Structures are given as C-alpha cells and as structure tokens.
C-alpha cells in the first residue's frame, strides 16, 4: 500500500468522546477525511488518509476525559494501526482487546475507559 490509511470505528460513549478520540489521533495522522458528526449514532467512524507514514507524536496527545467506555477498532496498514494504538494508549486508559493481521492490513480493538 502506498498510502497510509486508517479507519477508526467507535462504539459507545457520546459524540464528545468520539471527537476527543479523533482529536488525539490528529497529531499523528492529520485531519481525518470525515469526522464523527451524528449525535444520535451508536457507532461512529473516522477515516484518516496520508501520503506518508504516520508521524511520530512529539508529545503525548492531550485528551479529555471520556464519559464512558468506548470500544475503538483501528484498521489499516500495520504501521498505521501500531501508531494509532500507541497514541490512544498514551492519551487514554486503554485495554487491548485483540488484533487480527492480514497480508497488508491489520486490525486492533481497544477498550478506552474514563
């Protein structure tokens, strides 16, 4: 894959939680192509596209407190998934819920807790 692409799926929490999680990833991946916007949704998605490999965050991501537990699934290139997982683990209390790997893509699920 020449592009770094990361899809983030968020299940649980509110719209402010989704925005805080996406904001934490922006320092590494830039602004996503789409932002979680539907206040009534129970599952939200954000997609990050970047031509280069993810940037290392110079400082830990500043994140707010979550209102409740949020299950986050990150899917993309191995480097993108690893960078996203590390960033979210620094920004929030995170528990690794499992991973799956393919030839060129990886998926990891994290439970972020308040």
């Amino acid at each position: 894959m020449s592009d770094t692409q990361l899809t983030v799926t968020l299940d649980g929490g509110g719209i402010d939680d989704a925005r805080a999680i996406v904001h934490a990833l922006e320092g590494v991946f830039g602004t996503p192509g789409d932002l979680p916007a539907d206040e009534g949704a129970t599952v939200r998605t954000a997609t990050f596209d970047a031509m280069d490999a993810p940037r290392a965050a110079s400082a830990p991501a500043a994140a707010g407190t979550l209102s409740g537990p949020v299950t986050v699934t990150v899917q993309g290139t191995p480097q993108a998934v690893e960078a996203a997982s590390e960033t979210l683990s620094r920004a929030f209390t995170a528990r690794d819920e499992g991973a799956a790997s393919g030839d060129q893509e990886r998926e990891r699920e994290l439970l972020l807790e308040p």
Side-chain angles (χ1 to χ4, degrees), residues 27-55:
V28 177
F29 294 96
T31 304
D34 57 346
L35 289 168
D38 186 356
E39 299 257 350
T42 56
V43 176
R44 296 172 176 91
T45 303
T47 303
F48 293 88
D49 257 332
M51 295 304 288
D52 300 319
R55 301 184 295 279

Side-chain angles (χ1 to χ4, degrees), residues 19-100:
R19 289 177 181 154
I21 293 165
V22 168
H23 180 67
L25 293 169
E26 287 178 338
V28 177
F29 294 96
T31 304
D34 57 346
L35 289 168
D38 186 356
E39 299 257 350
T42 56
V43 176
R44 296 172 176 91
T45 303
T47 303
F48 293 88
D49 257 332
M51 295 304 288
D52 300 319
R55 301 184 295 279
S58 57
T65 302
L66 300 175
S67 66
V70 179
T71 299
V72 178
T73 304
V74 290
Q75 181 180 21
T77 64
Q79 334 55 310
V81 169
E82 190 62 32
S85 298
E86 288 177 14
T87 300
L88 292 174
S89 293
R90 283 194 316 267
F92 301 97
T93 301
R95 185 171 66 210
D96 191 340
E97 295 287 297

